[in-house]
Amino acid sequence: MSVQTPHASTDRDVHDIVTDVLKSVEIGPITSHRNISIAPLSLPRKPQTIYTGWQDAYFSGSIGVREVDATGAVEELFVTNQAATNVLLLDGEELCGLNQNRVLATTVLMPAKASLNIPVSCSEAGRWSPLGRGTMAAGALMARSSRVEKMKATVRNAQATGSRARRYQVNQEQVWANIRDLQTQLGVTSPTEALRDIYVAKKEAITQYLDALRGALVGQGVVVWLNGRLVGVELVSISKAYNAIREQLLQSYIIDALRMHQGLAFPVHPETANRFIERCTQGQGDAMESVGLGVDIRYAGSAGVLGSCLVHESEVIHASFFPGI
């Protein structure tokens, strides 16, 4: 894996850090339901960087999100972490409320007792007006297919001036188009073309998948197959943090499973996961300082791998890998 490392990053080369973690991943037994199969992932090493997730921080009242100013900006939000611990916000995680619902443009490890502008994109095309309350914890991520397309269409520029959030330029029109396509394919209507409305409309079907697969959501991550094809690998360094967001992650795949369902059972084999993770160690990553703590690495298709990793103090905090198309 060839990774360009920023001047100030970690004591070890991020290439070695990511490769070592991927090589140490342990894959559990496969569980299947209809056209989706998953296998849990675990890491033998003890995590060093401590953090909590957005959901836990939100419900404890320790994190606040508001528009950047009185006018607001589609592509940025202002976040304050009042807790004495770091907070992890995931790429594609939805923040509902304010002038419009947003999804995070990249994974951010929010420092304790700090405030940041974070890059986001709109996940609700038909509204730009406050709802009379702050942000809500949506409990959802963008569909896996939308996350991939957003990642491919996001331009990063480490030399951008202003806040670090401006280093990420998301193709907003494509985000809206992907949400509209999902709504059409799933037969969902929404007055504001909101991503959240897809999850609300499909709650019963999503719950059926979750009930069948929940027992396999253990460890620190998951491999997912749809219609017999491996479509993603997700890793989070802390088991407790993964437990808090594991159903969100799986729902992002279930949405795609619903639109792709052919009424068939598709056999899968764990060896496909081993081969794909090996390919991930061979991909070429481009790294730059993250919006928050750590280094943000993007994989743009080399070795047939798309994805991102957040590395902080010689540790992979979060990683998502997808087969390149």
Side-chain angles (χ1 to χ4, degrees):
M1 182 187 297
S2 174
V3 179
Q4 300 173 11
T5 310
H7 176 67
S9 57
T10 57
D11 293 334
R12 297 171 59 209
D13 185 84
V14 288
H15 154 259
D16 296 327
I17 295 167
V18 175
T19 298
D20 287 351
V21 166
L22 291 175
K23 287 184 175 181
S24 71
V25 166
E26 298 173 355
I27 304 172
I30 295 171
T31 300
S32 299
H33 177 68
R34 296 179 181 168
N35 62 329
I36 188 169
S37 299
I38 67 172
L41 299 177
S42 58
L43 296 167
R45 62 193 69 191
K46 183 179 179 180
Q48 302 301 310
T49 300
I50 304 303
Y51 55 86
T52 187
W54 151 254
Q55 296 280 320
D56 288 342
Y58 171 83
F59 287 114
S60 71
S62 62
I63 198 164
V65 184
R66 63 169 174 81
E67 299 290 350
V68 294
D69 54 33
T71 303
V74 171
E75 69 279 4
E76 288 185 62
L77 288 174
F78 183 76
V79 182
T80 299
N81 177 19
Q82 300 174 357
T85 187
N86 305 326
V87 174
L88 185 68
L89 298 96
L90 293 183
D91 186 3
E93 194 165 9
E94 189 173 33
L95 312 179
C96 291
L98 299 177
N99 284 352
Q100 59 186 184
N101 298 350
R102 314 300 219 288
V103 291
L104 283 135
T106 189
T107 294
V108 177
L109 184 59
M110 183 84 188
K113 301 291 185 180
S115 297
L116 287 175
N117 281 22
I118 60 170
V120 294
S121 59
C122 170
S123 58
E124 184 182 20
R127 179 175 68 91
W128 183 258
S129 59
L131 294 174
R133 60 177 181 266
T135 51
M136 301 180 295
L141 272 78
M142 297 184 77
R144 174 262 176 199
S145 55
S146 297
R147 282 197 288 149
V148 170
E149 292 304 315
K150 178 176 68 68
M151 186 178 293
K152 286 163 43 175
T154 297
V155 177
R156 301 190 312 162
N157 177 13
Q159 307 306 315
T161 58
S163 70
R164 288 188 180 182
R166 297 184 182 179
R167 296 178 177 181
Y168 295 81
Q169 296 181 352
V170 180
N171 185 330
Q172 183 60 69
E173 291 296 331
Q174 182 164 31
V175 171
W176 284 332
N178 287 337
I179 293 172
R180 284 193 296 268
D181 286 346
L182 279 174
Q183 290 173 340
T184 299
Q185 293 167 10
L186 292 169
V188 175
T189 58
S190 167
T192 59
E193 298 184 2
L195 171 68
R196 178 176 172 79
D197 288 345
I198 298 175
Y199 287 87
V200 172
K202 295 298 178 181
K203 181 179 179 179
E204 183 177 349
I206 290 171
T207 299
Q208 291 176 2
Y209 275 89
L210 283 175
D211 288 346
L213 298 168
R214 190 175 283 112
L217 291 175
V218 296
Q220 289 138 289
V222 66
V223 184
V224 183
W225 293 261
L226 293 179
N227 290 6
R229 177 175 175 268
L230 191 150
V231 293
V233 169
E234 311 275 358
L235 274 174
V236 178
S237 62
I238 298 179
S239 296
K240 183 178 179 181
Y242 173 66
N243 289 345
I245 54 88
R246 59 189 182 179
E247 291 192 8
Q248 291 175 263
L249 279 172
L250 185 56
Q251 285 183 64
S252 77
Y253 288 88
I254 291 173
I255 287 295
D256 279 346
L258 290 172
R259 71 178 180 83
M260 296 167 60
H261 188 38
Q262 300 174 7
L264 301 171
F266 296 86
V268 299
H269 194 281
E271 186 55 35
T272 59
N274 291 322
R275 290 197 298 266
F276 179 71
I277 290 172
E278 174 63 26
R279 276 165 52 196
C280 292
T281 69
Q282 300 167 1
Q284 293 183 346
D286 178 56
M288 73 178 191
E289 288 181 332
S290 174
V291 171
L293 299 173
V295 176
D296 181 2
I297 312 168
R298 292 297 173 103
Y299 303 85
S302 64
V305 173
L306 295 167
S308 66
C309 286
L310 180 65
V311 175
H312 177 56
E313 294 185 346
S314 301
E315 187 172 19
V316 175
I317 304 299
H318 172 242
S320 294
F321 289 104
F322 311 103
I325 299 173

